[in-house]
Amino acid sequence: MKKVLSLILAAALILCFAACSQQPAVEKPDNATVIKMGTNAAFPPYEFKEGEAFKGIDVDIATEIAKELGAELEVVDMEFDSIITSVQKGEVDFGMAGMTVTDERKLEVNFTSSYATGVQVVIVPEGSDIKSLDDLEGKKIGTQLGTTGDIYSKDDYGEENVVSYSKGADAIIALKGGDVDAVIIDNEPAKAFVAQNEGLEILETEYAIEDYAIAVKKENTDLLDKINAALEKLTADGTIDRIIANYISAE
Ligand code: ARG
């Protein structure tokens, strides 16, 4: 009898233990699944930080996508040129950073359908003798490391003429300080940087026209399909246009 009692007691203890340990203190009460977005939050108006908060077109669209997926969005900020590796390793669920779809990147990750267009433009100091893309020949060009502007300009104007910075804003500081003669970067951040800094202008000639999309790990086709379905819905009901209009005024 004693034996049976102690057995019951032991079983009860084990049960309680299992039940009590089921809810670790750190878990959110609503048990929401978290979906992680890898980005580089130094690229206004697509992603930037205001204090500790992440803001921008990509952050807002990703928040809506997460809702569609019944998940909660977590933004993970990193260097732009680490995003694809981070997606491949599964450290983040997707990469969203005003990221251009390119053939080289397509070998490494899958891209969703495109949700925005980007244009690579050239920023110069007002009154610069650089008036066209040809004038860039032999000049020092500043870029953000690992971006299409960085990759293309090294190809077109020679690696020795391109200085790659970890952030677009650092390239702008270099331009103002005369360390580089021009900066090649996406048009919307370019407009934001020119608005924040006096004495700079954007050349009218466009360097490259591109599609932005979300990068997903090759193996994770299930997530790719779900994000595409969410994007389709958010496009059809006008959510994406509304978010973009919140940050970019139509000219
Ligand atoms: N569109 C360019 C690219 O994909 C630049 C993107 C940079 N994005 C960022 N969040 N810093 O290469």
Side-chain angles (χ1 to χ4, degrees), residues 3-25:
K3 219 179 192 172
V4 175
L5 260 182
S6 59
L7 264 179
I8 291 173
L9 202 67
L13 264 175
I14 289 168
L15 273 178
C16 171
F17 211 78
C20 300
S21 60
Q22 227 160 47
Q23 283 278 350

mmCIF file with all atom_site columns, all heavy atoms in Angstrom, residues 3-25:
data_model
loop_
_atom_site.group_PDB
_atom_site.id
_atom_site.type_symbol
_atom_site.label_atom_id
_atom_site.label_alt_id
_atom_site.label_comp_id
_atom_site.label_asym_id
_atom_site.label_entity_id
_atom_site.label_seq_id
_atom_site.pdbx_PDB_ins_code
_atom_site.Cartn_x
_atom_site.Cartn_y
_atom_site.Cartn_z
_atom_site.occupancy
_atom_site.B_iso_or_equiv
_atom_site.pdbx_formal_charge
_atom_site.auth_seq_id
_atom_site.auth_comp_id
_atom_site.auth_asym_id
_atom_site.auth_atom_id
_atom_site.pdbx_PDB_model_num
ATOM 1   N N   . LYS A 1 3  ? 3.809  1.497  -1.032  1.00 0.00 ? 3  LYS A N   1
ATOM 2   C CA  . LYS A 1 3  ? 4.486  1.589  -2.326  1.00 0.00 ? 3  LYS A CA  1
ATOM 3   C C   . LYS A 1 3  ? 3.588  2.290  -3.357  1.00 0.00 ? 3  LYS A C   1
ATOM 4   O O   . LYS A 1 3  ? 4.017  3.188  -4.074  1.00 0.00 ? 3  LYS A O   1
ATOM 5   C CB  . LYS A 1 3  ? 4.825  0.174  -2.805  1.00 0.00 ? 3  LYS A CB  1
ATOM 6   C CG  . LYS A 1 3  ? 6.178  0.085  -3.474  1.00 0.00 ? 3  LYS A CG  1
ATOM 7   C CD  . LYS A 1 3  ? 6.458  -1.328 -3.901  1.00 0.00 ? 3  LYS A CD  1
ATOM 8   C CE  . LYS A 1 3  ? 7.895  -1.488 -4.287  1.00 0.00 ? 3  LYS A CE  1
ATOM 9   N NZ  . LYS A 1 3  ? 8.187  -2.911 -4.524  1.00 0.00 ? 3  LYS A NZ  1
ATOM 10  N N   . VAL A 1 4  ? 2.296  1.835  -3.366  1.00 0.00 ? 4  VAL A N   1
ATOM 11  C CA  . VAL A 1 4  ? 1.335  2.401  -4.325  1.00 0.00 ? 4  VAL A CA  1
ATOM 12  C C   . VAL A 1 4  ? 1.185  3.905  -4.084  1.00 0.00 ? 4  VAL A C   1
ATOM 13  O O   . VAL A 1 4  ? 1.212  4.702  -5.022  1.00 0.00 ? 4  VAL A O   1
ATOM 14  C CB  . VAL A 1 4  ? -0.041 1.700  -4.196  1.00 0.00 ? 4  VAL A CB  1
ATOM 15  C CG1 . VAL A 1 4  ? -1.062 2.367  -5.112  1.00 0.00 ? 4  VAL A CG1 1
ATOM 16  C CG2 . VAL A 1 4  ? 0.094  0.234  -4.536  1.00 0.00 ? 4  VAL A CG2 1
ATOM 17  N N   . LEU A 1 5  ? 1.065  4.262  -2.847  1.00 0.00 ? 5  LEU A N   1
ATOM 18  C CA  . LEU A 1 5  ? 0.902  5.685  -2.496  1.00 0.00 ? 5  LEU A CA  1
ATOM 19  C C   . LEU A 1 5  ? 2.073  6.518  -2.997  1.00 0.00 ? 5  LEU A C   1
ATOM 20  O O   . LEU A 1 5  ? 1.896  7.573  -3.614  1.00 0.00 ? 5  LEU A O   1
ATOM 21  C CB  . LEU A 1 5  ? 0.782  5.839  -0.977  1.00 0.00 ? 5  LEU A CB  1
ATOM 22  C CG  . LEU A 1 5  ? -0.632 6.008  -0.447  1.00 0.00 ? 5  LEU A CG  1
ATOM 23  C CD1 . LEU A 1 5  ? -0.611 6.192  1.059   1.00 0.00 ? 5  LEU A CD1 1
ATOM 24  C CD2 . LEU A 1 5  ? -1.312 7.205  -1.125  1.00 0.00 ? 5  LEU A CD2 1
ATOM 25  N N   . SER A 1 6  ? 3.252  6.023  -2.720  1.00 0.00 ? 6  SER A N   1
ATOM 26  C CA  . SER A 1 6  ? 4.426  6.805  -3.137  1.00 0.00 ? 6  SER A CA  1
ATOM 27  C C   . SER A 1 6  ? 4.530  6.868  -4.651  1.00 0.00 ? 6  SER A C   1
ATOM 28  O O   . SER A 1 6  ? 5.005  7.853  -5.213  1.00 0.00 ? 6  SER A O   1
ATOM 29  C CB  . SER A 1 6  ? 5.706  6.257  -2.511  1.00 0.00 ? 6  SER A CB  1
ATOM 30  O OG  . SER A 1 6  ? 5.876  4.920  -2.884  1.00 0.00 ? 6  SER A OG  1
ATOM 31  N N   . LEU A 1 7  ? 4.050  5.803  -5.307  1.00 0.00 ? 7  LEU A N   1
ATOM 32  C CA  . LEU A 1 7  ? 4.034  5.828  -6.782  1.00 0.00 ? 7  LEU A CA  1
ATOM 33  C C   . LEU A 1 7  ? 3.094  6.923  -7.287  1.00 0.00 ? 7  LEU A C   1
ATOM 34  O O   . LEU A 1 7  ? 3.431  7.697  -8.185  1.00 0.00 ? 7  LEU A O   1
ATOM 35  C CB  . LEU A 1 7  ? 3.587  4.472  -7.328  1.00 0.00 ? 7  LEU A CB  1
ATOM 36  C CG  . LEU A 1 7  ? 4.706  3.507  -7.714  1.00 0.00 ? 7  LEU A CG  1
ATOM 37  C CD1 . LEU A 1 7  ? 4.115  2.190  -8.207  1.00 0.00 ? 7  LEU A CD1 1
ATOM 38  C CD2 . LEU A 1 7  ? 5.594  4.109  -8.793  1.00 0.00 ? 7  LEU A CD2 1
ATOM 39  N N   . ILE A 1 8  ? 1.914  6.952  -6.669  1.00 0.00 ? 8  ILE A N   1
ATOM 40  C CA  . ILE A 1 8  ? 0.923  7.972  -7.069  1.00 0.00 ? 8  ILE A CA  1
ATOM 41  C C   . ILE A 1 8  ? 1.492  9.370  -6.833  1.00 0.00 ? 8  ILE A C   1
ATOM 42  O O   . ILE A 1 8  ? 1.398  10.259 -7.679  1.00 0.00 ? 8  ILE A O   1
ATOM 43  C CB  . ILE A 1 8  ? -0.409 7.794  -6.286  1.00 0.00 ? 8  ILE A CB  1
ATOM 44  C CG1 . ILE A 1 8  ? -1.083 6.499  -6.751  1.00 0.00 ? 8  ILE A CG1 1
ATOM 45  C CG2 . ILE A 1 8  ? -1.344 8.993  -6.487  1.00 0.00 ? 8  ILE A CG2 1
ATOM 46  C CD1 . ILE A 1 8  ? -2.306 6.113  -5.953  1.00 0.00 ? 8  ILE A CD1 1
ATOM 47  N N   . LEU A 1 9  ? 2.123  9.505  -5.698  1.00 0.00 ? 9  LEU A N   1
ATOM 48  C CA  . LEU A 1 9  ? 2.712  10.793 -5.355  1.00 0.00 ? 9  LEU A CA  1
ATOM 49  C C   . LEU A 1 9  ? 3.763  11.208 -6.392  1.00 0.00 ? 9  LEU A C   1
ATOM 50  O O   . LEU A 1 9  ? 3.787  12.349 -6.871  1.00 0.00 ? 9  LEU A O   1
ATOM 51  C CB  . LEU A 1 9  ? 3.360  10.684 -3.966  1.00 0.00 ? 9  LEU A CB  1
ATOM 52  C CG  . LEU A 1 9  ? 3.538  12.014 -3.245  1.00 0.00 ? 9  LEU A CG  1
ATOM 53  C CD1 . LEU A 1 9  ? 2.184  12.610 -2.894  1.00 0.00 ? 9  LEU A CD1 1
ATOM 54  C CD2 . LEU A 1 9  ? 4.368  11.823 -1.967  1.00 0.00 ? 9  LEU A CD2 1
ATOM 55  N N   . ALA A 1 10 ? 4.593  10.232 -6.743  1.00 0.00 ? 10 ALA A N   1
ATOM 56  C CA  . ALA A 1 10 ? 5.642  10.501 -7.729  1.00 0.00 ? 10 ALA A CA  1
ATOM 57  C C   . ALA A 1 10 ? 5.027  10.912 -9.065  1.00 0.00 ? 10 ALA A C   1
ATOM 58  O O   . ALA A 1 10 ? 5.457  11.881 -9.696  1.00 0.00 ? 10 ALA A O   1
ATOM 59  C CB  . ALA A 1 10 ? 6.518  9.266  -7.900  1.00 0.00 ? 10 ALA A CB  1
ATOM 60  N N   . ALA A 1 11 ? 3.974  10.161 -9.471  1.00 0.00 ? 11 ALA A N   1
ATOM 61  C CA  . ALA A 1 11 ? 3.312  10.450 -10.748 1.00 0.00 ? 11 ALA A CA  1
ATOM 62  C C   . ALA A 1 11 ? 2.728  11.858 -10.719 1.00 0.00 ? 11 ALA A C   1
ATOM 63  O O   . ALA A 1 11 ? 2.869  12.626 -11.676 1.00 0.00 ? 11 ALA A O   1
ATOM 64  C CB  . ALA A 1 11 ? 2.223  9.417  -11.011 1.00 0.00 ? 11 ALA A CB  1
ATOM 65  N N   . ALA A 1 12 ? 2.096  12.194 -9.601  1.00 0.00 ? 12 ALA A N   1
ATOM 66  C CA  . ALA A 1 12 ? 1.484  13.518 -9.473  1.00 0.00 ? 12 ALA A CA  1
ATOM 67  C C   . ALA A 1 12 ? 2.547  14.605 -9.583  1.00 0.00 ? 12 ALA A C   1
ATOM 68  O O   . ALA A 1 12 ? 2.359  15.622 -10.252 1.00 0.00 ? 12 ALA A O   1
ATOM 69  C CB  . ALA A 1 12 ? 0.753  13.632 -8.135  1.00 0.00 ? 12 ALA A CB  1
ATOM 70  N N   . LEU A 1 13 ? 3.651  14.334 -8.925  1.00 0.00 ? 13 LEU A N   1
ATOM 71  C CA  . LEU A 1 13 ? 4.748  15.302 -8.965  1.00 0.00 ? 13 LEU A CA  1
ATOM 72  C C   . LEU A 1 13 ? 5.231  15.535 -10.395 1.00 0.00 ? 13 LEU A C   1
ATOM 73  O O   . LEU A 1 13 ? 5.419  16.660 -10.841 1.00 0.00 ? 13 LEU A O   1
ATOM 74  C CB  . LEU A 1 13 ? 5.916  14.805 -8.102  1.00 0.00 ? 13 LEU A CB  1
ATOM 75  C CG  . LEU A 1 13 ? 5.962  15.368 -6.684  1.00 0.00 ? 13 LEU A CG  1
ATOM 76  C CD1 . LEU A 1 13 ? 7.087  14.711 -5.904  1.00 0.00 ? 13 LEU A CD1 1
ATOM 77  C CD2 . LEU A 1 13 ? 6.155  16.883 -6.733  1.00 0.00 ? 13 LEU A CD2 1
ATOM 78  N N   . ILE A 1 14 ? 5.423  14.405 -11.093 1.00 0.00 ? 14 ILE A N   1
ATOM 79  C CA  . ILE A 1 14 ? 5.921  14.491 -12.472 1.00 0.00 ? 14 ILE A CA  1
ATOM 80  C C   . ILE A 1 14 ? 4.932  15.270 -13.339 1.00 0.00 ? 14 ILE A C   1
ATOM 81  O O   . ILE A 1 14 ? 5.307  16.158 -14.098 1.00 0.00 ? 14 ILE A O   1
ATOM 82  C CB  . ILE A 1 14 ? 6.164  13.077 -13.064 1.00 0.00 ? 14 ILE A CB  1
ATOM 83  C CG1 . ILE A 1 14 ? 7.386  12.457 -12.374 1.00 0.00 ? 14 ILE A CG1 1
ATOM 84  C CG2 . ILE A 1 14 ? 6.362  13.137 -14.567 1.00 0.00 ? 14 ILE A CG2 1
ATOM 85  C CD1 . ILE A 1 14 ? 7.565  10.979 -12.651 1.00 0.00 ? 14 ILE A CD1 1
ATOM 86  N N   . LEU A 1 15 ? 3.627  14.935 -13.172 1.00 0.00 ? 15 LEU A N   1
ATOM 87  C CA  . LEU A 1 15 ? 2.582  15.609 -13.945 1.00 0.00 ? 15 LEU A CA  1
ATOM 88  C C   . LEU A 1 15 ? 2.606  17.113 -13.710 1.00 0.00 ? 15 LEU A C   1
ATOM 89  O O   . LEU A 1 15 ? 2.565  17.908 -14.636 1.00 0.00 ? 15 LEU A O   1
ATOM 90  C CB  . LEU A 1 15 ? 1.200  15.068 -13.565 1.00 0.00 ? 15 LEU A CB  1
ATOM 91  C CG  . LEU A 1 15 ? 0.757  13.836 -14.352 1.00 0.00 ? 15 LEU A CG  1
ATOM 92  C CD1 . LEU A 1 15 ? -0.600 13.360 -13.853 1.00 0.00 ? 15 LEU A CD1 1
ATOM 93  C CD2 . LEU A 1 15 ? 0.670  14.181 -15.844 1.00 0.00 ? 15 LEU A CD2 1
ATOM 94  N N   . CYS A 1 16 ? 2.673  17.453 -12.419 1.00 0.00 ? 16 CYS A N   1
ATOM 95  C CA  . CYS A 1 16 ? 2.668  18.866 -12.068 1.00 0.00 ? 16 CYS A CA  1
ATOM 96  C C   . CYS A 1 16 ? 3.869  19.548 -12.692 1.00 0.00 ? 16 CYS A C   1
ATOM 97  O O   . CYS A 1 16 ? 3.777  20.629 -13.253 1.00 0.00 ? 16 CYS A O   1
ATOM 98  C CB  . CYS A 1 16 ? 2.691  19.040 -10.546 1.00 0.00 ? 16 CYS A CB  1
ATOM 99  S SG  . CYS A 1 16 ? 2.952  20.768 -10.086 1.00 0.00 ? 16 CYS A SG  1
ATOM 100 N N   . PHE A 1 17 ? 4.992  18.862 -12.600 1.00 0.00 ? 17 PHE A N   1
ATOM 101 C CA  . PHE A 1 17 ? 6.236  19.405 -13.132 1.00 0.00 ? 17 PHE A CA  1
ATOM 102 C C   . PHE A 1 17 ? 6.086  19.727 -14.610 1.00 0.00 ? 17 PHE A C   1
ATOM 103 O O   . PHE A 1 17 ? 6.396  20.824 -15.068 1.00 0.00 ? 17 PHE A O   1
ATOM 104 C CB  . PHE A 1 17 ? 7.353  18.377 -12.922 1.00 0.00 ? 17 PHE A CB  1
ATOM 105 C CG  . PHE A 1 17 ? 8.673  19.036 -12.721 1.00 0.00 ? 17 PHE A CG  1
ATOM 106 C CD1 . PHE A 1 17 ? 8.994  19.599 -11.484 1.00 0.00 ? 17 PHE A CD1 1
ATOM 107 C CD2 . PHE A 1 17 ? 9.586  19.116 -13.755 1.00 0.00 ? 17 PHE A CD2 1
ATOM 108 C CE1 . PHE A 1 17 ? 10.201 20.224 -11.296 1.00 0.00 ? 17 PHE A CE1 1
ATOM 109 C CE2 . PHE A 1 17 ? 10.792 19.736 -13.565 1.00 0.00 ? 17 PHE A CE2 1
ATOM 110 C CZ  . PHE A 1 17 ? 11.112 20.294 -12.325 1.00 0.00 ? 17 PHE A CZ  1
ATOM 111 N N   . ALA A 1 18 ? 5.536  18.744 -15.349 1.00 0.00 ? 18 ALA A N   1
ATOM 112 C CA  . ALA A 1 18 ? 5.374  18.916 -16.795 1.00 0.00 ? 18 ALA A CA  1
ATOM 113 C C   . ALA A 1 18 ? 4.431  20.082 -17.078 1.00 0.00 ? 18 ALA A C   1
ATOM 114 O O   . ALA A 1 18 ? 4.728  20.949 -17.899 1.00 0.00 ? 18 ALA A O   1
ATOM 115 C CB  . ALA A 1 18 ? 4.828  17.632 -17.409 1.00 0.00 ? 18 ALA A CB  1
ATOM 116 N N   . ALA A 1 19 ? 3.314  20.098 -16.339 1.00 0.00 ? 19 ALA A N   1
ATOM 117 C CA  . ALA A 1 19 ? 2.312  21.133 -16.584 1.00 0.00 ? 19 ALA A CA  1
ATOM 118 C C   . ALA A 1 19 ? 2.859  22.507 -16.219 1.00 0.00 ? 19 ALA A C   1
ATOM 119 O O   . ALA A 1 19 ? 2.678  23.479 -16.947 1.00 0.00 ? 19 ALA A O   1
ATOM 120 C CB  . ALA A 1 19 ? 1.056  20.842 -15.767 1.00 0.00 ? 19 ALA A CB  1
ATOM 121 N N   . CYS A 1 20 ? 3.540  22.554 -15.078 1.00 0.00 ? 20 CYS A N   1
ATOM 122 C CA  . CYS A 1 20 ? 4.014  23.845 -14.607 1.00 0.00 ? 20 CYS A CA  1
ATOM 123 C C   . CYS A 1 20 ? 5.132  24.400 -15.480 1.00 0.00 ? 20 CYS A C   1
ATOM 124 O O   . CYS A 1 20 ? 5.297  25.599 -15.588 1.00 0.00 ? 20 CYS A O   1
ATOM 125 C CB  . CYS A 1 20 ? 4.508  23.752 -13.162 1.00 0.00 ? 20 CYS A CB  1
ATOM 126 S SG  . CYS A 1 20 ? 3.205  23.215 -12.064 1.00 0.00 ? 20 CYS A SG  1
ATOM 127 N N   . SER A 1 21 ? 5.903  23.499 -16.094 1.00 0.00 ? 21 SER A N   1
ATOM 128 C CA  . SER A 1 21 ? 7.037  23.986 -16.875 1.00 0.00 ? 21 SER A CA  1
ATOM 129 C C   . SER A 1 21 ? 6.639  24.274 -18.319 1.00 0.00 ? 21 SER A C   1
ATOM 130 O O   . SER A 1 21 ? 7.447  24.704 -19.120 1.00 0.00 ? 21 SER A O   1
ATOM 131 C CB  . SER A 1 21 ? 8.175  22.968 -16.839 1.00 0.00 ? 21 SER A CB  1
ATOM 132 O OG  . SER A 1 21 ? 7.712  21.760 -17.390 1.00 0.00 ? 21 SER A OG  1
ATOM 133 N N   . GLN A 1 22 ? 5.356  24.021 -18.640 1.00 0.00 ? 22 GLN A N   1
ATOM 134 C CA  . GLN A 1 22 ? 4.935  24.181 -20.026 1.00 0.00 ? 22 GLN A CA  1
ATOM 135 C C   . GLN A 1 22 ? 4.995  25.641 -20.506 1.00 0.00 ? 22 GLN A C   1
ATOM 136 O O   . GLN A 1 22 ? 5.225  25.903 -21.668 1.00 0.00 ? 22 GLN A O   1
ATOM 137 C CB  . GLN A 1 22 ? 3.517  23.670 -20.188 1.00 0.00 ? 22 GLN A CB  1
ATOM 138 C CG  . GLN A 1 22 ? 3.387  22.777 -21.412 1.00 0.00 ? 22 GLN A CG  1
ATOM 139 C CD  . GLN A 1 22 ? 2.166  21.900 -21.329 1.00 0.00 ? 22 GLN A CD  1
ATOM 140 O OE1 . GLN A 1 22 ? 1.084  22.385 -21.015 1.00 0.00 ? 22 GLN A OE1 1
ATOM 141 N NE2 . GLN A 1 22 ? 2.334  20.625 -21.603 1.00 0.00 ? 22 GLN A NE2 1
ATOM 142 N N   . GLN A 1 23 ? 4.755  26.562 -19.612 1.00 0.00 ? 23 GLN A N   1
ATOM 143 C CA  . GLN A 1 23 ? 4.717  27.976 -19.982 1.00 0.00 ? 23 GLN A CA  1
ATOM 144 C C   . GLN A 1 23 ? 5.946  28.698 -19.453 1.00 0.00 ? 23 GLN A C   1
ATOM 145 O O   . GLN A 1 23 ? 5.923  29.225 -18.353 1.00 0.00 ? 23 GLN A O   1
ATOM 146 C CB  . GLN A 1 23 ? 3.470  28.633 -19.375 1.00 0.00 ? 23 GLN A CB  1
ATOM 147 C CG  . GLN A 1 23 ? 2.177  28.318 -20.106 1.00 0.00 ? 23 GLN A CG  1
ATOM 148 C CD  . GLN A 1 23 ? 1.975  29.182 -21.320 1.00 0.00 ? 23 GLN A CD  1
ATOM 149 O OE1 . GLN A 1 23 ? 2.697  30.147 -21.522 1.00 0.00 ? 23 GLN A OE1 1
ATOM 150 N NE2 . GLN A 1 23 ? 1.031  28.837 -22.163 1.00 0.00 ? 23 GLN A NE2 1
ATOM 151 N N   . PRO A 1 24 ? 7.018  28.732 -20.203 1.00 0.00 ? 24 PRO A N   1
ATOM 152 C CA  . PRO A 1 24 ? 8.173  29.469 -19.712 1.00 0.00 ? 24 PRO A CA  1
ATOM 153 C C   . PRO A 1 24 ? 7.817  30.952 -19.550 1.00 0.00 ? 24 PRO A C   1
ATOM 154 O O   . PRO A 1 24 ? 6.993  31.474 -20.314 1.00 0.00 ? 24 PRO A O   1
ATOM 155 C CB  . PRO A 1 24 ? 9.226  29.280 -20.798 1.00 0.00 ? 24 PRO A CB  1
ATOM 156 C CG  . PRO A 1 24 ? 8.588  28.542 -21.910 1.00 0.00 ? 24 PRO A CG  1
ATOM 157 C CD  . PRO A 1 24 ? 7.204  28.175 -21.531 1.00 0.00 ? 24 PRO A CD  1
ATOM 158 N N   . ALA A 1 25 ? 8.422  31.577 -18.575 1.00 0.00 ? 25 ALA A N   1
ATOM 159 C CA  . ALA A 1 25 ? 8.041  32.944 -18.232 1.00 0.00 ? 25 ALA A CA  1
ATOM 160 C C   . ALA A 1 25 ? 8.216  33.910 -19.394 1.00 0.00 ? 25 ALA A C   1
ATOM 161 O O   . ALA A 1 25 ? 7.494  34.889 -19.505 1.00 0.00 ? 25 ALA A O   1
ATOM 162 C CB  . ALA A 1 25 ? 8.868  33.414 -17.042 1.00 0.00 ? 25 ALA A CB  1
#
